[in-house]
Amino acid sequence: MQNQAGALRSAEAGRVVPLPTAAPARPRRDTREQILDVAEAAVLDKGFGATSIEEVIAAVGITKSGFFYHFRDKGVLATALLERYLEREEALFDELFGRADELHEDPLHGFLVGLKLLAETMADLPNGHPGCLVAAVCYQENLFNREVHALNAAAVLRWRRRFRARFDAIAERHPPRVPIDFDDLADMLSALADGGIILSKVLREPDLLPRQILLYRSFVHSVFLDA
């Protein structure tokens, strides 16, 4: 029989067995993040244009006013998706190339290892890094949205600055074997990534993007080192 202390007396063991307590309620995920998660999944499945506010509201289980409390309209939602993607992209690059730098003191070999890790990550799309698909789709279908265009332009310039800095460091130890503009070489990875995403979707070849990254890796190797 339960006593005032909330325990049971075990007749067989002659000891007090505490009653199980209810597990603490898990905090509910932030509604704004839930909306972004649902919208991202829908965009990955069928594109931004075909994703409706109504289906996002139904999936999250909120009212229309609840949606508009966080996002004024669908264009603002697209901007928020891209902003979140850019944050994740920066974190991804910091992690991958940071790990590579820990494995090799030589900046060239560290960069080549980083590209290999990037290819392995992209081989798991959309699980590995789904945000890049969101960025590609949103950019295409919101081409005339100034804020979306500005966000994408800023992302490209960040890629250029990040990888240009690496090529400058590499060149101090391994002068390039051919004349080459390091901004162009950095932009080449950006163009390859965006183009690879589109081609992999159109051709339904999930391994196309990582193959392109590995091809770029071979090209960078040939720029700075003999075969």
Side-chain angles (χ1 to χ4, degrees):
M1 181 176 181
Q2 182 176 343
N3 61 19
Q4 295 297 325
L8 291 177
R9 177 70 62 183
S10 171
E12 294 180 0
R15 56 189 174 83
V16 175
V17 181
L19 287 173
T21 57
R26 293 182 179 179
R28 187 176 181 183
R29 282 189 305 135
D30 180 75
T31 300
R32 186 177 188 276
E33 286 300 308
Q34 291 184 65
I35 293 171
L36 289 172
D37 288 343
V38 168
E40 181 178 277
V43 169
L44 286 168
D45 183 51
K46 57 188 176 182
F48 188 77
T51 299
S52 68
I53 292 176
E54 288 72 19
E55 70 177 289
V56 173
I57 289 171
V60 177
I62 58 175
T63 63
K64 186 169 280 192
S65 61
F67 176 89
F68 290 120
Y69 173 80
H70 296 282
F71 305 101
R72 184 176 67 251
D73 53 37
K74 193 177 175 184
V76 174
L77 175 63
T79 301
L81 283 171
L82 284 173
E83 288 175 336
R84 189 171 73 158
Y85 155 67
L86 295 179
E87 291 176 1
R88 290 177 173 178
E89 179 184 76
E90 289 295 301
L92 176 72
F93 284 160
D94 288 343
E95 177 189 357
L96 294 182
F97 289 96
R99 285 165 53 196
D101 289 338
E102 292 175 356
L103 295 172
H104 286 277
E105 293 183 0
D106 186 299
L108 174 59
H109 292 290
F111 184 63
L112 295 176
V113 170
L115 289 174
K116 182 72 179 298
L117 294 174
L118 181 62
E120 291 174 355
T121 299
M122 294 305 175
D124 193 29
L125 287 174
N127 299 317
H129 188 47
C132 54
L133 290 179
V134 173
V137 174
C138 287
Y139 177 68
Q140 289 178 310
E141 298 187 15
N142 291 273
L143 189 60
F144 301 106
N145 181 312
R146 290 184 178 180
E147 190 168 3
V148 171
H149 178 76
L151 280 172
N152 278 274
V156 170
L157 291 175
R158 276 204 293 271
W159 277 47
R160 176 187 290 176
R161 288 191 296 269
R162 174 187 288 269
F163 296 119
R164 168 63 193 256
R166 286 190 168 270
F167 293 137
D168 285 338
I170 290 169
E172 291 181 3
R173 185 173 300 190
H174 305 282
R177 299 172 57 247
V178 294
I180 192 165
D181 186 294
F182 289 159
D183 281 346
D184 290 341
L185 188 59
D187 289 344
M188 186 178 178
L189 180 57
S190 180
L192 180 149
D194 286 342
I197 290 167
I198 294 170
L199 285 174
S200 66
K201 287 178 68 68
V202 170
L203 301 177
R204 301 185 185 279
E205 294 183 22
D207 64 337
L208 189 149
L209 176 56
R211 293 202 318 264
Q212 291 293 313
I213 294 174
L214 292 177
L215 188 61
Y216 176 78
R217 179 177 181 271
S218 297
F219 178 72
V220 170
H221 183 280
S222 68
V223 168
F224 295 100
L225 289 179
D226 291 328

